[in-house]
Amino acid sequence: MITSVQNNLVKKMKKLHMAKERKKQSQFLLEGTHLVETAVASGWPIEMLLVSDDYALTGDLASLPYEVISDNVLEHLSVTKTPQGIIALANMKEMDFPRESTRVLVCDGVQDPGNLGTIIRTADAAGFDAVIYGKGSADLYNDKTVRSTQGSLFHIPVIQADLLEKLPELKSAGFHVWGAALQESVIYNEAEKTEKLAIIVGNEGAGIREEILEMADTIVKIPIYGQAESLNVAIAAGILMYEAKK
């Protein structure tokens, strides 16, 4: 049993709470039974597990390398209030853009990890083929982002790209592009829906960058019927994605 927070493996994993270390090591942490089981079931590369003494490894989890850790080590590594007794050391992997895609969600500068994670989860639920996120967006492997996806990170390709390069590629491949904004816009359920459709949503405060919005074929808006100034970006993305699937 690993009982010291000064253990080399524990120190390595603790560093993965920092974005620069995740990038340096090309690894990140998964915490909790649901996320770990979902990752393993999807074939995501898991290097090893750390489990508490009373955690029962079953099914596919039992075939993975593991170390038993004491409660103080678990609390040292955990970012949740009530740790479930399992933390996985996972490897990052490059995700390919699906060649036969017809529905894609594009995030321009979505900074909040919870919003990005919820958008990925909703894209998975709506049957979208991929999520593309660009400059200024939250770190995909931030713990809050990963937890907010509720495992959908392991179901749908999520790709980081330069949107100034990726959007022209999508348009060349036959995608019609919606941009969510207010200026010179049409109500979203009146917009043209083509065989291939990409939807851009933007930064929580500033919206979509002008140079990105200029690439949209149609500007769409979601009407506000009450007194709220705006919709949360993840909610707006969900409304647009489900409309696109009709």
Side-chain angles (χ1 to χ4, degrees):
M1 179 188 292
I2 298 175
T3 59
S4 172
V5 297
Q6 297 304 316
N7 175 276
N8 287 336
L9 175 61
V10 174
K11 289 197 290 185
K12 172 187 174 179
M13 293 177 72
K14 181 69 173 179
K15 288 180 179 179
L16 294 176
H17 291 311
M18 298 182 291
K20 66 177 183 179
E21 285 295 329
R22 290 193 293 271
K23 185 175 181 180
K24 179 180 175 181
Q25 297 184 35
S26 294
Q27 292 181 313
F28 65 106
L29 299 183
L30 294 174
E31 185 175 348
T33 301
H34 173 67
L35 278 177
V36 176
E37 286 183 342
T38 303
V40 172
S42 73
W44 194 277
I46 303 294
E47 184 168 312
M48 71 176 308
L49 307 175
L50 295 187
V51 296
S52 58
D53 190 35
D54 59 353
Y55 192 92
L57 288 169
T58 59
D60 292 337
L61 299 188
S63 65
L64 294 173
Y66 73 94
E67 293 280 356
V68 178
I69 56 175
S70 59
D71 289 344
N72 67 302
V73 173
L74 177 64
E75 290 173 6
H76 178 69
L77 291 174
S78 175
V79 294
T80 62
K81 291 182 179 179
T82 54
Q84 295 179 24
I86 183 169
I87 296 175
L89 176 60
N91 296 325
M92 296 180 184
K93 72 174 186 178
E94 291 293 326
M95 289 177 260
D96 296 325
F97 185 76
R99 294 180 62 184
E100 303 302 319
S101 296
T102 60
R103 291 291 183 268
V104 177
L105 195 282
V106 179
C107 295
D108 178 39
V110 175
Q111 294 181 324
D112 184 83
N115 282 338
L116 181 60
T118 300
I119 286 170
I120 293 166
R121 179 182 180 183
T122 309
D124 181 21
F128 264 50
D129 299 303
V131 174
I132 299 169
Y133 69 105
K135 178 182 179 182
S137 289
D139 178 6
L140 177 62
Y141 297 105
N142 175 288
D143 178 75
K144 188 175 181 181
T145 309
V146 173
R147 282 188 286 119
S148 296
T149 73
Q150 284 290 298
S152 289
L153 169 62
F154 311 117
H155 298 155
I156 180 173
V158 183
I159 300 152
Q160 185 173 25
D162 182 339
L163 301 188
L164 292 172
E165 296 178 359
K166 193 63 181 179
L167 284 167
E169 290 178 10
L170 290 175
K171 291 166 71 85
S172 294
F175 278 86
H176 184 85
V177 178
W178 284 4
L182 295 177
Q183 61 269 38
E184 300 179 16
S185 56
V186 298
I187 295 177
Y188 73 100
N189 56 6
E190 297 175 358
E192 178 185 7
K193 291 194 286 283
T194 55
E195 181 181 350
K196 291 184 174 184
L197 183 62
I199 302 171
I200 312 170
V201 295
N203 175 267
E204 290 87 346
I208 301 170
R209 286 175 291 158
E210 189 63 36
E211 62 267 36
I212 298 296
L213 190 60
E214 287 175 356
M215 298 187 201
D217 300 299
T218 305
I219 309 298
V220 298
K221 66 180 177 182
I222 301 170
I224 302 290
Y225 298 112
Q227 297 182 53
E229 290 185 3
S230 62
L231 283 170
N232 171 277
V233 65
I235 297 294
I239 291 170
L240 297 176
M241 285 190 280
Y242 272 88
E243 176 65 27
K245 291 295 287 188
K246 288 182 178 178

